[in-house]
Amino acid sequence: MRNVRRLFLRCLRLGHRRKFTYLNLVTDYLRYGRLCLVSLTHNSFTNSDVVIESLFEPVYWLVDHVTRWFGIVFVALVILLTSSIVLIVYICVLPLILQTYSTGWICWHLTYGHWNLILIVFHYYKAITTPPGYPPQAQKNTPSVSVCRKCIAPKPARTHHCSICNRCILKMDHHCPWLNNCVGHYNHRYFFSFCLFMTLGCIYCSISSRVMFREAYAAIETYSQTPPPAFSFRERVFHKCIIYLWVLCSSVAVALGALTLWHAMLITRGETSIERHINKKERKRLQGKGKVSDLRALLSILGYLY
C-alpha cells in the first residue's frame, strides 16, 4: 500500500514538471517575440523601410528561388513570342505591303525591318551570354570599399551581391529574369540596346499594322451576327493573328518603352537602379541633418578610381 502511494505521488510530481516545462517554453517564446519587437522599434538604424523589408523577407526568398529556376523559361518565352511576331509579319503583313505600297516604301520597310530585327537578335544574344562582371578573386591587393557579408570577400566600389546568382556583380543594375542573367558592368550596354531596339521594333510593327488591325477587329465583331459572315478558316486565322500582333506589340512598346526611358535617365545621371535607390535614401538622410552633398559627383569619382 505504501509503494502504491509513493508511485501516485511521483506521477503527480511528474505531471507538474511537464506542466511547468510547457509553461516555461511558452514564456520563452513570448519573451523572444517581445525582444524582436523591441529590437525593431528601439534600434536607431531602424526605419519604415527596414520593417517592411523584414516583413517581406519570405516573399523575397520565394521570388529569388522562382526567378533562379524559371530563368530559362523566361528566355524561351521571349524567343517564342518574338519568333511568333516575326512569323506573322512575314506571312500576313509583308505580302500586303508588297501588294499595296510603292517601290520606295517597300524598300524602306524591307531595309528597316530586317536591320531592326538583326540588332534585336544580336543584342539579346550578347546580353544573355556576356558575363556581367565579377570581382577578381586572384589579386589580393584590389582596392575595395567594403567586404561582402555573403561572399566574405573584398567588394570593389559600385559592386553589389546578387542573391539569385549568389555572387557579387560589378556595377550591378539588377537581375533580369528575361535574360536569365545579371545586368552589370560588361553587359549593361547590350541590355539597354536590346530594350531600345525592341521598343522601336514593336512601335514599327504597331504602326505598320494599324490599318489591318482596325479591319480585322471590325471583321471579328461580325462573327456573332445572324447569319454569320462568309469568312473562310484562313481569313479567320488571319484576323486573329493581326489582333494578336497589334495587341502584343503595343503592350510591349508601352511597358518596355517606359523601362528604356528610365534606364536612359539613369545613364545620363551616371547611376544604376540600385544606386538610384541608395542615393535617394542617403539624400533624404543628409537633408534631414541639414547637410548638402552632390552624390552624383561622388559616384563619378568612385567610378573613376575604380
Side-chain angles (χ1 to χ4, degrees):
M1 189 67 180
R2 185 178 299 175
N3 294 333
V4 174
R5 187 182 304 170
R6 290 178 180 176
L7 181 61
F8 179 72
L9 293 175
R10 187 176 300 176
C11 292
L12 288 177
R13 292 175 184 173
L14 183 62
H16 283 293
R17 288 179 181 176
R18 289 182 179 178
K19 182 179 179 180
F20 284 115
T21 301
Y22 291 134
L23 184 60
N24 292 334
L25 185 62
V26 173
T27 305
D28 291 340
Y29 278 121
L30 291 176
R31 289 176 179 174
Y32 177 73
R34 182 175 177 276
L35 179 63
C36 292
L37 182 62
V38 170
S39 65
L40 288 175
T41 55
H42 291 82
N43 192 342
S44 60
F45 295 99
T46 301
N47 51 26
S48 59
D49 294 336
V50 176
V51 175
I52 293 175
E53 289 179 2
S54 301
L55 293 175
F56 280 88
E57 189 64 29
V59 179
Y60 298 150
W61 180 87
L62 181 62
V63 170
D64 289 346
H65 282 71
V66 170
T67 305
R68 182 181 305 170
W69 293 108
F70 281 87
I72 299 177
V73 177
F74 289 133
V75 172
L77 187 61
V78 171
I79 296 174
L80 180 63
L81 293 177
T82 306
S83 301
S84 65
I85 294 298
V86 173
L87 190 63
I88 292 174
V89 169
Y90 273 109
I91 295 177
C92 301
V93 180
L94 188 58
L96 290 178
I97 292 177
L98 296 177
Q99 294 174 5
T100 57
Y101 282 47
S102 62
T103 305
W105 278 109
I106 291 175
C107 293
W108 186 87
H109 278 287
L110 291 176
T111 303
Y112 177 78
H114 289 89
W115 173 76
N116 201 349
L117 178 61
I118 291 173
L119 290 178
I120 289 174
V121 174
F122 171 77
H123 287 106
Y124 187 68
Y125 173 78
K126 295 293 290 184
I128 62 178
T129 56
T130 303
Y134 311 110
Q137 301 295 330
Q139 300 178 1
K140 300 299 182 181
N141 297 325
T142 305
S144 60
V145 176
S146 61
V147 175
C148 179
R149 293 178 296 178
K150 297 182 179 180
C151 296
I152 315 299
K155 189 166 65 173
R158 310 184 73 178
T159 301
H160 300 279
H161 186 89
C162 177
S163 58
I164 300 175
C165 298
N166 199 24
R167 63 187 308 178
C168 288
I169 307 297
L170 296 177
K171 198 181 175 184
M172 179 181 175
D173 188 272
H174 68 287
H175 184 94
C176 182
W178 303 104
L179 301 179
N180 193 27
N181 195 8
C182 267
V183 177
H185 181 69
Y186 292 110
N187 64 347
H188 194 181
R189 54 178 175 176
Y190 298 123
F191 165 77
F192 179 77
S193 298
F194 165 72
C195 292
L196 176 62
F197 290 114
M198 179 63 83
T199 302
L200 294 178
C202 290
I203 294 174
Y204 165 74
C205 290
S206 298
I207 295 176
S208 301
S209 62
R210 68 187 186 281
V211 177
M212 289 179 282
F213 167 75
R214 290 197 294 263
E215 295 176 352
Y217 186 79
I220 288 178
E221 285 188 333
T222 62
Y223 285 179
S224 58
Q225 293 181 357
T226 304
F231 288 119
S232 63
F233 175 76
R234 184 175 180 179
E235 290 174 336
R236 291 175 181 268
V237 173
F238 174 82
H239 295 156
K240 294 177 180 179
C241 288
I242 295 298
I243 296 294
Y244 166 78
L245 180 145
W246 194 87
V247 171
L248 180 61
C249 288
S250 300
S251 303
V252 173
V254 172
L256 197 59
L259 180 65
T260 304
L261 291 176
W262 165 255
H263 279 277
M265 185 270 294
L266 292 178
I267 291 174
T268 59
R269 297 172 62 92
E271 295 176 331
T272 62
S273 299
I274 298 177
E275 292 169 352
R276 172 70 172 175
H277 176 69
I278 296 174
N279 295 341
K280 185 177 180 180
K281 293 172 61 177
E282 186 68 14
R283 192 177 296 111
K284 288 183 179 180
R285 187 182 69 84
L286 293 177
Q287 288 177 354
K289 293 183 177 181
K291 297 180 179 179
V292 180
S293 65
D294 192 353
L295 295 176
R296 282 180 290 178
L298 178 61
L299 279 175
S300 63
I301 294 173
L302 290 175
Y304 175 74
L305 291 176
Y306 176 70

